[in-house]
Amino acid sequence: MVSETVTERSAVQSGAEVLVASNRGPVSYALQEGGELSAKRGGGGLVSGLSAIGPEAGAVWVCAALGDGDREAVRRSGGLLDTADTGGQRVRMLDIPAEVHAAAYNGVANSVLWFVHHMLYQTPVEPVFDADFREQWAAYEAYNAAFAGALAEAAGPGAAVLVQDYHLALVPGMLREVRPDVRIAHFSHTPWAPPEYFALLPDDVQRQLLLGILGADRANFLTERWARAFAACCERALGPDCTAHWPRHEPPSVVAGPTAHRTRIGVHGLGADAEFLRERSRRPDVEERMAGLREQIGGAGRKTVVRVDRTELSKNIVRGLLAFRRLLADRPEWRERVVHLAFAYPSRQDLAVYRDYTARVGALAEEINAEYGTATWQPVVLHVKDDFARSLAAYRLADVALVNPIRDGMNLVAKEVPVVSDAGCALVLSREAGAWVELGADALTVNPYDVGQTAEALHAALTMPVEERAARTARLAAAATALPPARWFLEQLRALEE
Ligand code: F6P
């Protein structure tokens, strides 16, 4: 399965014109018992967005090997993966030493940077930046340097390099040092922390992260809110060395460092891929899953509240379940008449705090079922095994979609449901999701911490007249698909060329 052609290899060696870099690539490998490798699509919003680029864009995607299967694939292929496994996309996978990757990815990216940008710390006791953190930070630097080195080697003269996310914040600065000829963009797929919260990080780490991104020609974000937070962090942490310009009618920029390098700030709100979703969600495997879900929902005319998330702390699944319980408690008329389909797919299970959170979700679903369930009605149907066809089936069936993150860069589920929905679906949406900027007008807005308000919003959504629901869904779908992934990518590329 893993092989490479001479043409593919030489294309990289002769210098690519467009390169994308991200920790997670579009494919991951598992080693089977017989020694063969099986390939599977990578998960998360970043991969969903970038996967739509398509091989015709001619880009080379540089990513990290994440597990033993990936490392074996790198070993067998020499690093440039078989395009049969990647949907035609040229992918160069880096085999960064496992302990360096683990310290950079789990120790810094997921346990520190993710927590800072999503404001997840319990600040009386965490974070603590001690000697262990300094070791992990050194690994983060080494891991970023490995990416910068690989990009410097693979990029042709004047190439466009699009670096993705908080994992690779140091790459733009490192790459500029060795390849001043290439044009670099950095994209943040997460929210950006407000300056007071970003200031939790050690001062030198703040500076390195910000100057790393400011090594790019463009720093791109999903919404203006996150872009402004970034600019504010630059001004606060870099002091007189830095000025943020946010003129009314011109593109914003940040000027920083001894050479007064200017980084343009861009906002590109990734949208849903309507064409792909509509076609994919009408295939037989989705119909089959719909039949299965209907059986689990049971009872004629029963309504559904659907959520689909990776089980991340920021997704606020626990408060979503508490809100559903509150709905059943406060409005008994919904008992036996509504089912909460909660799909919570495992994520980052190497981290104890994620494992504990996953367990809490499972326990709470059981508690609600024990408290309210009857012989013919299971109030919460929780699925934890990632199944894309079943997610689409739930989107199609949903009367209400619950998207209540504490904080989210965008949230593509909020954008996908209205596109796929069969009969219109009311959207209960957190004001802290990036998607709220585009969808808020036709959603029922909630404060994600307010369980009582969320329960009331669920009630309002469940009782929304069908015509209103359908009209809102049509407007939501239009807003959600304003910038589909392929155009989102091209827009960034064009901006970099200007
Ligand atoms: O869903 C998008 C995202 O949150 C990106 O910000 C990020 O790059 C990705 O998920 C990371 O997820 P994982 O740790 O599973 O690779």
Side-chain angles (χ1 to χ4, degrees), residues 102-267:
Y105 174 67
N106 287 323
V108 175
N110 288 344
S111 301
V112 176
L113 302 181
W114 181 271
F115 272 58
V116 168
H117 290 313
H118 291 85
M119 300 169 68
L120 294 173
Y121 282 123
Q122 297 187 36
T123 52
V125 288
E126 57 176 8
V128 177
F129 296 114
D130 53 9
D132 283 353
F133 170 75
R134 287 295 165 180
E135 270 180 34
Q136 289 166 341
W137 183 252
Y140 183 80
E141 291 173 317
Y143 154 88
N144 272 256
F147 267 85
L151 291 165
E153 197 184 299
V161 183
L162 293 101
V163 180
Q164 311 297 315
D165 241 340
Y166 54 97
H167 313 92
L168 303 179
L170 307 183
V171 166
M174 289 173 165
L175 182 57
R176 175 168 298 284
E177 289 244 318
V178 288
R179 288 293 305 271
D181 63 301
V182 299
R183 290 156 300 144
I184 309 168
H186 182 273
F187 199 97
S188 292
H189 292 261
T190 58
W192 194 274
E196 298 75 18
Y197 207 88
F198 191 72
L200 291 177
L201 290 168
D203 293 356
D204 59 318
V205 168
Q206 290 181 51
R207 286 182 67 84
Q208 262 186 275
L209 289 168
L210 296 170
L211 289 172
I213 292 178
L214 291 174
D217 298 285
R218 293 185 62 85
N220 294 322
F221 298 87
L222 286 164
T223 68
E224 185 175 327
R225 181 179 173 193
W226 315 138
R228 282 190 183 270
F230 171 76
C233 286
C234 291
E235 286 205 309
R236 175 170 168 151
L238 304 178
D241 268 2
C242 167
T243 327
H245 300 268
W246 211 286
R248 238 162 186 261
H249 300 295
E250 280 164 58
S253 60
V254 175
V255 178
T259 60
H261 175 66
R262 183 181 294 272
T263 303
R264 308 256 173 218
I265 305 293
V267 175

Side-chain angles (χ1 to χ4, degrees), residues 188-377:
S188 292
H189 292 261
T190 58
W192 194 274
E196 298 75 18
Y197 207 88
F198 191 72
L200 291 177
L201 290 168
D203 293 356
D204 59 318
V205 168
Q206 290 181 51
R207 286 182 67 84
Q208 262 186 275
L209 289 168
L210 296 170
L211 289 172
I213 292 178
L214 291 174
D217 298 285
R218 293 185 62 85
N220 294 322
F221 298 87
L222 286 164
T223 68
E224 185 175 327
R225 181 179 173 193
W226 315 138
R228 282 190 183 270
F230 171 76
C233 286
C234 291
E235 286 205 309
R236 175 170 168 151
L238 304 178
D241 268 2
C242 167
T243 327
H245 300 268
W246 211 286
R248 238 162 186 261
H249 300 295
E250 280 164 58
S253 60
V254 175
V255 178
T259 60
H261 175 66
R262 183 181 294 272
T263 303
R264 308 256 173 218
I265 305 293
V267 175
H268 306 273
L270 175 63
D273 189 343
E275 211 181 303
F276 164 73
L277 286 168
R278 292 204 175 110
E279 187 279 321
R280 181 66 188 86
S281 63
R282 264 66 194 171
R283 289 206 206 148
D285 60 341
V286 175
E287 306 279 350
E288 198 184 290
R289 303 296 196 287
M290 284 172 79
L293 288 175
R294 280 201 190 95
E295 239 168 69
Q296 289 183 318
I297 295 163
R302 242 176 220 162
K303 298 216 176 222
T304 50
V305 173
V306 167
R307 77 172 306 137
V308 177
D309 292 291
R310 295 203 291 162
T311 310
E312 279 161 10
L313 317 182
S314 54
K315 299 296 182 186
N316 209 20
I317 304 170
V318 166
R319 284 194 196 83
L321 287 167
L322 292 175
F324 185 69
R325 177 158 78 183
R326 180 79 177 264
L327 174 80
L328 300 180
D330 289 357
R331 296 195 176 266
E333 68 268 28
W334 284 114
R335 296 182 198 165
E336 301 265 3
R337 288 184 49 223
V338 63
V339 169
H340 185 14
L341 295 179
F343 297 177
Y345 301 143
S347 170
R348 303 181 192 161
Q349 293 292 300
D350 287 343
L351 298 182
V353 64
Y354 275 72
R355 292 197 297 274
D356 293 350
Y357 189 77
T358 305
R360 176 87 188 100
V361 167
L364 189 51
E366 273 178 30
E367 270 173 41
I368 298 170
N369 286 338
E371 198 176 342
Y372 291 103
T374 66
T376 52
W377 172 57

